[in-house]
Amino acid sequence: MDQNSDIISTKPFNDQKPGTSGLRKPVKVFQQSHYLENFVQAIFNTLPTLKGARLVVGGDGRYYNREAIQIIIRMATANGLGELLIGQGGILSTPSASHLIRKHQTDGGIILSASHNPGGPDKDFGIKFNTPNGGPAPEKITEAIYSESKQLKEYRIAEAREIDLDKLGKFELGSLKIRVIDSVADYSNLMQSLFDFDQIRDYLQGNDRRIAFDAMHAVTGPYAKQIFEQVLNCPPGTAFNAEPLLDFGGGHPDPNLAHAKELVKQMFSDNGPFFGAASDGDGDRNMILGRNIFVTPSDSLAILAANAAVIPGYKHGLAGVARSMPTSAAVDRVAEKLGIECYETPTGWKFFGNLLDAGKITLCGEESFGTGSDHVREKDGLWAVLFWLNLLAAKQQPVINIVQQHWQEFGRNAYARHDYEEVESDGANSLMEALRAKSSGLIGKPLGAFSVQYADDFSYTDPIDDSISNQQGLRIGFEDGSRIVFRLSGTGTQGATLRIYLEAYTQEKADFSANAHELLKPLAEIAAETAQITHFTGRDKPTVIT
Ligand code: VG1
Ligand code: CO
């Protein structure tokens, strides 16, 4: 190697176990000497071939993004990697990174993001490895990285100059090639290959067709500006909060009713836009709103699946669909009607990868504002927004009509998630243990006005590689199709976050105009009592309801 490379002695950290989506910790933890370096070396050590390997690298632009990329560059050259493709300014949304890995057939990618977690010097940072299919590494690989991190004694890093990440072009550092590429262009082209942009453009010219997109000061800003304001000719300002900031303007870059307040206010006002949407820190989540209506992510997945035939990229039909276990069963009903398979997976996009690669599914989604398809191997926020716009244009209908028609045909799965954030880990674990111990005894018994049909701890066997993932959430299913699910978050960085997912199924017309929280009240009460939430967490109400 013609670089000055050092082999640095280090000691393992014992907390580098990736969670639902990569390793997420406070920035301060990542800034400790050797912390990031150890994890990057652990990733490199688990790559099948290190010499000459090619990786895509980019992140959501949060605090520490640029510093981390410079470290990865110096470690890549010291370890003999072949090439890094890096988004300009270090910026790549998660779905666009997935696309680049696939397009350039690299050996994978490193995505720097803590997604919806807040950013800044006192907030969170994250890193995750994606495999050559463009998707988040499956558990087999995250486990291998974790065990490598626990026995690491040294890492390699070159003493090298900083690479100017803002300048497009090719650089060399020792034997490592570096290409700084446009972060947006390839992604924008991919979207244009899936959707009818002419039809959307024409439709948006019509009367009262103003749209609003809240980029939440996060990574989708430049993508949304380009796609909405340049390609689709929407007026400037259509994408707002569009400049990625190191701390996301101090907000929570999570597109939901609680955190995208500015957008929600506009959408629930008389002269507001007729369509609104938002995306998260790393651009893989989406929130869809029409005037005076919020579409739950579970309904959104079902509606996209039911109407896919009118979208150019999906007109040949869907191979199948999948949803994470806590996501409502709305899409199951659509799959049944279409005569296609519907898979139920654990939480986290990594579980969809095998199904997508095997061609078993075309669309998939999660209740946590994540929707996607086989075009990449991550969920994709702007893709979902464009899918909706294409749908509105093809049907010439506002969001509210499309949702109401869907419920008329399939019934309504009223849905909400209650989060108890940053509770003490011991209490949260005891709650789950106590519930697990009593769950099988609930079967056949009444709970309030409901009768328990099944109660179990969700376990998943991957239909492609037979790998088994246990303890993926406690579920209580009732005879009328209603459901309560309990699980602990795998993306939080402080204490534990208890998530309770409530779902009630109804075909009553009167319920189609009712508030979801009213419909779910009896289930919320049963959840609180059955899990003894106040007893174990000391809380009497959730921190966030989405
Ligand atoms: C949450 C969501 C999950 C999502 C994950 C990553 O995980 O519930 O559905 O896949 O975040 O999303 P958890 O373990 O906290 O419930 V992202 O956009 O933050 O990468
Ligand atoms: Co995200």
Side-chain angles (χ1 to χ4, degrees):
M1 241 155 286
D2 50 7
Q3 285 292 301
N4 252 348
S5 291
D6 282 329
I7 297 179
I8 308 284
S9 303
T10 187
K11 285 204 187 75
F13 293 89
N14 286 318
D15 65 347
Q16 298 195 323
K17 187 178 166 63
T20 311
S21 181
L23 181 69
R24 287 189 197 173
K25 299 279 175 196
V27 166
K28 295 256 165 0
V29 171
F30 274 103
Q31 284 173 326
Q32 298 171 85
S33 301
H34 310 318
Y35 194 88
L36 175 69
E37 291 85 346
N38 272 20
F39 192 72
V40 172
Q41 190 66 53
I43 294 175
F44 286 170
N45 291 356
T46 53
L47 289 176
T49 46
L50 195 57
K51 294 275 169 260
R54 300 169 63 238
L55 295 178
V56 168
V57 179
D60 62 15
R62 68 178 60 221
Y63 186 85
Y64 205 53
N65 191 48
R66 283 174 182 265
E67 293 83 344
I69 293 178
Q70 296 293 346
I71 290 173
I72 292 169
I73 293 171
R74 288 164 50 213
M75 291 185 65
T77 184
N79 278 278
L81 269 73
E83 186 178 30
L84 298 182
L85 298 171
I86 306 178
Q88 189 176 18
I91 294 276
L92 283 179
S93 77
T94 292
S96 75
S98 179
H99 175 53
L100 289 171
I101 294 169
R102 297 166 64 77
K103 182 178 168 194
H104 295 280
Q105 299 185 326
T106 68
D107 299 286
I110 296 180
I111 300 179
L112 302 156
S113 170
S115 185
H116 59 286
N117 298 30
D122 298 315
K123 300 296 188 204
D124 293 342
F125 189 73
I127 174 167
K128 95 179 169 169
F129 178 66
N130 280 30
T131 44
N133 73 346
E139 282 189 325
K140 203 172 67 193
I141 294 177
T142 55
E143 279 302 317
I145 295 172
Y146 177 46
S147 40
E148 187 61 26
S149 80
K150 287 191 292 191
Q151 52 172 41
L152 207 76
K153 296 200 180 63
E154 57 185 40
Y155 62 83
R156 288 169 183 272
I157 189 158
E159 277 176 36
R161 66 190 156 93
E162 278 213 347
I163 294 294
D164 183 356
L165 298 176
D166 295 308
K167 214 159 107 194
L168 293 177
K170 294 184 179 172
F171 305 89
E172 276 178 19
L173 205 57
S175 57
L176 179 73
K177 291 194 175 71
I178 298 167
R179 255 202 282 170
V180 177
I181 52 177
D182 185 301
S183 312
V184 178
D186 285 316
Y187 179 81
S188 172
N189 291 338
L190 175 67
M191 292 301 111
Q192 291 174 63
S193 73
L194 296 170
F195 302 112
D196 188 339
F197 269 55
D198 291 334
Q199 191 180 31
I200 299 174
R201 199 181 295 111
D202 285 350
Y203 180 67
L204 294 180
Q205 299 295 319
N207 248 345
D208 192 22
R209 299 275 164 77
R210 185 162 70 85
I211 65 169
F213 179 83
D214 185 353
M216 306 190 86
H217 294 298
V219 80
T220 43
Y223 294 84
K225 283 247 160 234
Q226 166 75 19
I227 292 172
F228 296 128
E229 298 178 14
Q230 304 298 321
V231 188
L232 288 173
N233 286 343
C234 294
T238 296
F240 64 102
N241 294 334
E243 191 194 338
L245 299 177
L246 294 177
D247 66 348
F248 309 120
H252 246 281
D254 201 354
N256 58 40
L257 296 177
H259 295 305
K261 286 220 175 69
E262 203 176 326
L263 175 71
V264 172
K265 202 170 142 207
Q266 286 187 41
M267 298 308 300
F268 286 85
S269 65
D270 286 345
N271 296 315
F274 94 107
F275 176 86
S279 190
D280 71 331
D282 62 331
D284 56 2
R285 296 186 178 201
N286 72 92
M287 172 166 67
I288 301 294
L289 299 154
R291 186 176 289 139
N292 294 316
I293 182 169
F294 155 67
V295 186
T296 71
S298 299
D299 276 347
S300 176
L301 173 64
I303 291 168
L304 299 190
N307 294 289
V310 304
I311 308 295
Y314 304 92
K315 65 171 186 249
H316 299 300
L318 306 176
V321 290
R323 62 164 171 87
S324 68
M325 181 275 282
T327 304
S328 96
V331 74
D332 302 37
R333 293 174 192 279
V334 174
E336 202 182 336
K337 180 163 179 221
L338 295 175
I340 56 175
E341 199 68 41
C342 177
Y343 298 85
E344 185 178 33
T345 60
T347 295
W349 215 259
K350 59 189 169 207
F351 294 102
F352 293 132
N354 276 350
L355 295 169
L356 289 163
D357 286 349
K360 300 265 185 212
I361 58 171
T362 310
L363 298 186
C364 46
E366 296 191 279
E367 53 63 44
S368 54
F369 299 79
T371 330
S373 90
D374 58 359
H375 69 291
V376 288
R377 293 294 179 272
E378 290 277 6
K379 52 191 186 277
D380 190 344
L382 279 169
W383 168 89
V385 176
L386 289 164
F387 200 129
W388 265 95
L389 286 175
N390 201 158
L391 188 58
L392 301 183
K395 297 208 148 207
Q396 301 276 318
Q397 299 262 2
V399 175
I400 198 159
N401 293 20
I402 291 181
V403 173
Q404 287 287 344
Q405 280 161 16
H406 189 88
W407 290 346
Q408 302 280 351
E409 186 174 351
F410 295 96
R412 176 181 182 188
N413 292 69
Y415 192 86
R417 187 175 97 185
H418 292 198
D419 289 338
Y420 293 75
E421 295 179 325
E422 298 183 21
V423 298
E424 276 180 28
S425 297
D426 288 350
N429 288 328
S430 306
L431 179 150
M432 293 298 283
E433 269 161 41
L435 198 57
R436 191 171 288 124
K438 77 175 179 196
S439 69
S440 60
L442 297 172
I443 300 168
K445 304 251 166 65
L447 277 181
F450 299 84
S451 180
V452 179
Q453 192 179 50
Y454 63 88
D456 61 10
D457 195 346
F458 182 58
S459 167
Y460 179 65
T461 304
D462 186 294
I464 312 299
D465 65 14
D466 292 328
S467 59
I468 295 173
S469 303
N470 287 322
Q471 300 207 334
Q472 296 296 322
L474 298 167
R475 22 176 222 183
I476 303 177
F478 300 102
E479 280 179 356
D480 70 345
S482 302
R483 212 168 58 130
I484 307 175
V485 175
F486 302 81
R487 62 177 280 283
L488 299 183
S489 157
T491 58
T493 58
Q494 310 288 341
T497 290
L498 171 67
R499 303 202 194 284
I500 299 178
Y501 310 80
L502 306 170
E503 174 179 359
Y505 180 66
T506 173
Q507 288 177 308
E508 298 289 333
K509 296 257 168 348
D511 289 341
F512 297 169
S513 51
N515 179 306
H517 302 292
E518 287 300 318
L519 297 174
L520 295 166
K521 226 172 172 180
L523 288 172
E525 282 161 13
I526 291 172
E529 212 175 293
T530 313
Q532 295 182 273
I533 297 175
T534 306
H535 170 75
F536 283 111
T537 67
R539 305 276 180 86
D540 58 7
K541 57 174 184 317
T543 342
V544 182
I545 298 183
T546 53

